[in-house]
C-alpha cells in the first residue's frame, strides 16, 4: 500500500544513515539533532510523572461520579488496568531494543505495517496528547485553587473561575515550554526530582488513608458541606462500568506509551530503554494502586457521587481528602505538593508529543521545519506546535468540561496499541518477504512472545474502546468517537499534503520509511 501511494522519483531526498550503517559512527553522530544523554532513571521518572497527577489524584476518584456502578472497585480497576497493559509493555520493550527512536510507535507502525495507517494513527495520538495537555493545565488550576483555599490565602476563588483556569493553565503550559527549550538534561533533572515528590505524596496518602476510619471522613465531610451522606440500601457493580473505568484509567498509564519517545535521547538506547520501560511499569502499577486503594479505604465509594452532585467534588480528590482528615498545616503543604505534581505532568506530555512531531518531520511527513532543533538540541518548532495545541484544548475544557478530553486521550492510546499489534502480526505472518534482511524486524518479533502479546493487546484495545465509544450527557461534538473521526479526517488531509510535498521535492516516502530512522 505504501509503495503504491508514495512512489516518486527520489532525488536529493536521502536521509542520513542509521547508526551502524554506511557512513560510520562518527559521521552518523554528527548528523544527530538530539542529545543522547539520559539514562534509566530519567526514563522511569518521565513515564511515572507523565500521568501521576491528574490521572491518579483527580481522574481515579472522579470516575465513580461518571460511572457510579463501579462502586468500590476503582482500586481493583486500577490494578487490572496496569496488568492488562503488560503485553503492551512487552512489545514496547522489544521494539525499543530493536529500534529505539524519538518516533517510537509512529516509526514502528510505519515500518511494520503501513505509512498511511501509521501517520493517521499518530495524528489521533497527537490530538489525544493535545487534549491531555489541556486537561492537565485545567486541573492544575483546580488543585492550586484548592491549595490556596485550604491555606486561607486570597485569590482561591479567582483561581477556580473559568478565567482563572485559563490564565493559570496557559502560564503552566508556557513555563514548561520554556523549561524544554533549555534542553533534555534539564528536563531529565526536573522529572527525577519530581519523582521523589511523587513518592512522598503517595506515602503520605497511604499513611492517612490506611489509618483513618471512614466514619471520621464522613462526619467531617458532612459538617463541612451540610450534605447528608448515607450508604444506599442496594446496588450492584456492573461489568460495563468496570470496563469503562478501566478505559479512563488507561489515561493514568499513558506515560508508558510516552517513555519510548526518549529513545532518540538515551545513552545506549537499545538496552537502556527496555529496562526503563519495565521499571516504569512496575513503579506505576504499585504507586497508582497504592494511592487509589488508600483513597477508597477512607472515602466510601457511595459518598463520591453524592458529594459531586452537591457541588463538593473537590473533597473527592486526593488533596481534598487530606484536607478533611489531616491537620491544617499538613493539608496545606500536601495540597501545594499535589498542585506542583499535577502541573509538572505537562513536562512529559510536551516531551513525548514534540518528539513524535520531530520524527514526523525527519521522515518528511510534515515540513522539515518541524524537525528543527535549537542550540540546546531541543525540537523547538515541535514544542511550539504542541504548546499551542494544548492551549487550544485548555480553552475548550475550561468552557465545556474536561471528561471527554480524558477519554479521547485513553482512546488514542488504545488505538495506537492495537495498530502496532497488527504491525507485529504483519511482520510475522503477513508480508514476510518485505522484512527479509532487516535486523530490526527479526529483533522485534522473533519467538512466540510478540505475536501472543500482539493478539492480547488487540483484544484489550477492542474491549476497552468499545466501553467508551460514547460519553453520557455530552453533545455529539464532544463524543470520543466523533472527535476520533475528526482526528482521522485531519490525519488524511495532512497525509495527502505530505504526498504532494514529497512529489514536489522529488522524495520517495516509501523508501524513507523502509529503513530504521536515524534517531
Amino acid at each position: 500500500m505504501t509503495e503504491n501511494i508514495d512512489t516518486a522519483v527520489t532525488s536529493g531526498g536521502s536521509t542520513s544513515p542509521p547508526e551502524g550503517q554506511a557512513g560510520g559512527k562518527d559521521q552518523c553522530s554528527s548528523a544527530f539533532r538530539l542529545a543522547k544523554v539520559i539514562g534509566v532513571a530519567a526514563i522511569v521518572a518521565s513515564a511515572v510523572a507523565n500521568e501521576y497527577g491528574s490521572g491518579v489524584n483527580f481522574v481515579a476518584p472522579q470516575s465513580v461520579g461518571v460511572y457510579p456502578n463501579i462502586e468500590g472497585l476503582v482500586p481493583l480497576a486500577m490494578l487490572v488496568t496496569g496488568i492488562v497493559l503488560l503485553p503492551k509493555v512487552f512489545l514496547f520493550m522489544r521494539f525499543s531494543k530493536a529500534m529505539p527512536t524519538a518516533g517510537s510507535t509512529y516509526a514502528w507502525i510505519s515500518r511494520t505495517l503501513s505509512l498511511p495507517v501509521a501517520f493517521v494513527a499518530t495524528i489521533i495520538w497527537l490530538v489525544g496528547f493535545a487534549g491531555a495537555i489541556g486537561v492537565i493545565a485545567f486541573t492544575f488550576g483546580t488543585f492550586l485553587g484548592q491549595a490556596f483555599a485550604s491555606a486561607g490565602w486570597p485569590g482561591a476563588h479567582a483561581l477556580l473561575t473559568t478565567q482563572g483556569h485559563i490564565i493559570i493553565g496557559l502560564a503552566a503550559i508556557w513555563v514548561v515550554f520554556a523549561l524544554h527549550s533549555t534542553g533534555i538534561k534539564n528536563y531529565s533533572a526536573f522529572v527525577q526530582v519530581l519523582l521523589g515528590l511523587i513518592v512522598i505524596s503517595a506515602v503520605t496518602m497511604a499513611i492517612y488513608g490506611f489509618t483513618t476510619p471512614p466514619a471520621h471522613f464522613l462526619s467531617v465531610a458532612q459538617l463541612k458541606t451540610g450534605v447528608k451522606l448515607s450508604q444506599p440500601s442496594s446496588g450492584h457493580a456492573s461489568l460495563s462500568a468496570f470496563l469503562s473505568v478501566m478505559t479512563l484509567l488507561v489515561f493514568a498509564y499513558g506515560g508508558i506509551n510516552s517513555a519510548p519517545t526518549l529513545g532518540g535521547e538515551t545513552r545506549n538506547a537499545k538496552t537502556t530503554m527496555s529496562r526503563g520501560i519495565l521499571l516504569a511499569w512496575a513503579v506505576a502499577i504499585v504507586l497508582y494502586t497504592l494511592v487509589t486503594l488508600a483513597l477508597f479505604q477512607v472515602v466510601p465509594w457511595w459518598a463520591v457521587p453524592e458529594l459531586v452532585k452537591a457541588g463538593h467534588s473537590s473533597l473527592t480528590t486526593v488533596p481534598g481528602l487530606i484536607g478533611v482528615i489531616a491537620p491544617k498545616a499538613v493539608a496545606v503543604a500536601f495540597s501545594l505538593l499535589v498542585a506542583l505534581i499535577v502541573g509538572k505532568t505537562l513536562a512529559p506530555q510536551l516531551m513525548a508529543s514534540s518528539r513524535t512531531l520531530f520524527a514526523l518531520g525527519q521522515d518528511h511527513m510534515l515540513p522539515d521545519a518541524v524537525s528543527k532543533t535549537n542550540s540546546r538540541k531541543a525540537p523547538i518548532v515541535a514544542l511550539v506546535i504542541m504548546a499551542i495545541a494544548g492551549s487550544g484544548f485548555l480553552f475548550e475544557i475550561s468552557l465545556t468540561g474536561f471528561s471527554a478530553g480524558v477519554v479521547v486521550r485513553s482512546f488514542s492510546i488504545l488505538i495506537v496499541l492495537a495498530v502496532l499489534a497488527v504491525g507485529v502480526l504483519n511482520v510475522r505472518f503477513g508480508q514476510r518477504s518485505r522484512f527479509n534482511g532487516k535486523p530490526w524486524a527479526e529483533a522485534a518479533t522473533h519467538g512466540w512472545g510478540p505475536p501472543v502479546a500482539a493478539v492480547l493487546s488487540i483484544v484489550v484495545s477492542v474491549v476497552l474502546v468499545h466501553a467508551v465509544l460514547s460519553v453520557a450527557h455530552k453533545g455529539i461534538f464532544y463524543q470520543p468517537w466523533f472527535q476520533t473521526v475528526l482526528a482521522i479526517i485531519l490525519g488524511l488531509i495532512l497525509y495527502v499534503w505530505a504526498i504532494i510535498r514529497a512529489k514536489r521535492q522529488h522524495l520517495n516516502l516509501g523508501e524513507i520509511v523502509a529503513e530504521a530512522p536515524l534517531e
Side-chain angles (χ1 to χ4, degrees):
M1 181 177 181
T2 301
E3 291 78 1
N4 293 336
I5 294 177
D6 295 339
T7 299
V9 178
T10 304
S11 175
S14 60
T15 58
S16 301
E19 187 172 347
Q21 292 187 7
K25 185 175 180 180
D26 293 338
Q27 180 180 336
C28 178
S29 298
S30 66
F32 288 139
R33 300 183 189 181
L34 300 176
K36 303 184 182 304
V37 295
I38 66 169
V40 171
I43 296 168
V44 174
S46 182
V48 175
N50 195 277
E51 294 301 354
Y52 185 99
S54 54
V56 176
N57 292 287
F58 193 72
V59 174
Q62 295 282 315
S63 63
V64 181
V66 180
Y67 299 103
N69 287 340
I70 183 67
E71 298 193 352
L73 299 179
V74 175
L76 179 62
M78 181 67 82
L79 175 63
V80 173
T81 301
I83 292 172
V84 300
L85 292 177
L86 184 56
K88 175 183 78 172
V89 173
F90 176 80
L91 291 178
F92 282 12
M93 290 173 63
R94 270 297 188 88
F95 273 96
S96 292
K97 283 184 177 180
M99 192 193 298
T101 170
S104 63
T105 52
Y106 154 72
W108 302 337
I109 296 169
S110 62
R111 272 68 179 177
T112 62
L113 188 60
S114 164
L115 179 56
V117 171
F119 184 78
V120 173
T122 301
I123 295 300
I124 297 172
W125 196 48
L126 288 170
V127 169
F129 260 122
I133 290 169
V135 169
I136 293 161
F138 177 87
T139 54
F140 173 64
T142 298
F143 284 112
L144 191 61
Q146 290 172 0
F148 272 53
S150 66
W153 296 338
H157 175 72
L159 289 172
L160 295 173
T161 63
T162 299
Q163 294 82 358
H165 277 298
I166 291 173
I167 293 170
I168 293 299
L170 287 175
I173 290 171
W174 290 96
V175 166
V176 170
F177 164 82
L179 167 70
H180 273 293
S181 68
T182 64
I184 192 66
K185 278 189 175 181
N186 289 336
Y187 166 80
S188 172
F190 179 68
V191 293
Q192 288 182 70
V193 168
L194 285 167
L195 179 58
L197 297 180
I198 287 171
V199 173
I200 293 172
S201 170
V203 171
T204 303
M205 179 63 232
I207 291 171
Y208 278 101
F210 291 124
T211 60
T212 304
H216 177 66
F217 169 81
L218 292 173
S219 63
V220 177
Q222 289 179 141
L223 184 63
K224 282 191 171 187
T225 65
V227 178
K228 185 177 181 180
L229 301 172
S230 56
Q231 185 171 1
S233 57
S234 62
H236 299 283
S238 71
L239 178 60
S240 62
F242 189 83
L243 293 174
S244 296
V245 169
M246 282 182 62
T247 307
L248 286 182
L249 297 180
V250 169
F251 182 88
Y253 289 98
I256 299 170
N257 270 61
S258 304
T261 60
L262 285 166
E265 293 159 290
T266 302
R267 299 187 303 270
N268 304 315
K270 288 189 176 182
T271 55
T272 305
M273 279 304 308
S274 59
R275 293 174 187 170
I277 291 169
L278 181 60
L279 283 173
W281 173 79
V283 171
I285 199 170
V286 170
L287 284 181
Y288 297 177
T289 304
L290 177 69
V291 171
T292 309
L293 185 61
L295 172 69
F296 284 93
Q297 181 71 23
V298 68
V299 180
W301 69 266
W302 43 264
V304 175
E306 293 301 316
L307 289 169
V308 171
K309 189 186 302 182
H312 299 286
S313 60
S314 63
L315 294 183
T316 65
T317 65
V318 172
L321 167 64
I322 293 294
V324 170
I325 64 178
K328 183 175 180 178
V330 174
V332 171
F334 190 84
S335 295
L336 290 172
L337 174 61
V338 170
L340 175 62
I341 288 172
V342 170
K344 65 93 187 77
T345 313
L346 291 168
Q349 295 282 349
L350 271 176
M351 181 281 299
S353 56
S354 63
R355 271 54 178 183
T356 304
L357 274 179
F358 168 86
L360 291 172
Q362 280 212 317
D363 274 359
H364 304 286
M365 296 304 300
L366 291 175
D368 294 346
V370 175
S371 60
K372 178 181 174 60
T373 56
N374 64 9
S375 60
R376 300 294 185 91
K377 293 196 171 184
I380 195 70
V381 175
L383 284 166
V384 169
I385 292 171
M386 290 310 304
I388 292 173
S391 299
F393 272 90
L394 169 64
F395 278 97
E396 178 197 49
I397 293 159
S398 298
L399 297 172
T400 65
F402 83 97
S403 60
V406 174
V407 177
V408 169
R409 170 71 174 131
S410 300
F411 210 69
S412 65
I413 291 171
L414 292 168
I415 289 173
V416 167
L417 173 59
V419 175
L420 175 61
V422 173
V424 171
L425 297 178
N426 185 50
V427 173
R428 283 296 301 273
F429 308 112
Q431 301 172 303
R432 298 179 65 174
S433 60
R434 170 182 162 190
F435 304 102
N436 287 340
K438 296 188 183 298
W440 63 261
E442 170 63 19
T445 65
H446 76 271
W448 282 101
V452 170
V455 171
L456 292 174
S457 296
I458 292 170
V459 171
V460 168
S461 297
V462 169
V463 170
L464 295 184
V465 164
H466 181 266
V468 288
L469 284 173
S470 62
V471 176
H473 313 302
K474 289 290 181 182
I476 186 172
F477 184 78
Y478 302 108
Q479 293 294 336
W481 66 264
F482 185 77
Q483 292 204 351
T484 301
V485 168
L486 292 180
I488 291 172
I489 293 171
L490 173 63
L492 292 172
I493 292 171
L494 292 175
Y495 182 74
V496 172
W497 183 37
I499 296 301
I500 293 172
R501 287 198 327 276
K503 289 183 177 179
R504 288 175 178 172
Q505 298 173 21
H506 305 293
L507 298 175
N508 188 318
L509 297 179
E511 289 186 357
I512 290 172
V513 299
E515 301 298 333
L518 174 63
E519 55 189 345

